[in-house]
Amino acid sequence: EDEESAMVTMKTLGEAGEERALAHLLRAGLRLVQRNYRVALGPSRRAGEVDLILRDRDGTLVFVEVRARKSTTHGGAAASITHAKQRSLVLAAQHYLMRLPSPPPCRFDVVAIDGERLEWLKGAFTAA
């Protein structure tokens, strides 16, 4: 596979994973607030992005990172979320919350998809 088709495959895998994750979370009673919330984290730094922002039944705002992998080689989907990735998610979430008059309780979840297996990790990490 050349690099370009590998990138297309990764993007397609990611989008399909996001659709699967969203369907799973909606079935669990969460409501979609926003998809792919992007924010520039300064001129020289890459943008932070939150894949899905949902509202849980109790009013908690849930920031969700979706990771999809074809298989569990290389540690699997959940293992691919580094400390740096968590930091950029937290920064994007803080930016999102600044727009709200009174921020609700929040949680960071991960939906890890390894092949056919989907795992929803509630409270996967904290903003601290």
Side-chain angles (χ1 to χ4, degrees), residues 10-25 27 35 51-52 64-81 109-121:
M10 286 290 290
K11 188 168 167 31
T12 308
L13 182 68
E15 288 168 0
E18 211 171 277
E19 287 296 327
R20 250 184 92 190
L22 179 58
H24 182 82
L25 297 169
R27 279 194 304 272
R35 280 180 93 143
D51 294 330
L52 301 169
V64 181
E65 173 68 8
V66 179
R67 281 295 164 104
R69 295 288 180 267
K70 282 188 244 184
S71 69
T72 55
T73 55
H74 310 297
S80 72
I81 301 171
D109 290 3
V110 169
V111 174
I113 301 169
D114 291 294
E116 290 305 305
R117 191 169 148 264
L118 182 147
E119 188 178 9
W120 177 16
L121 306 164

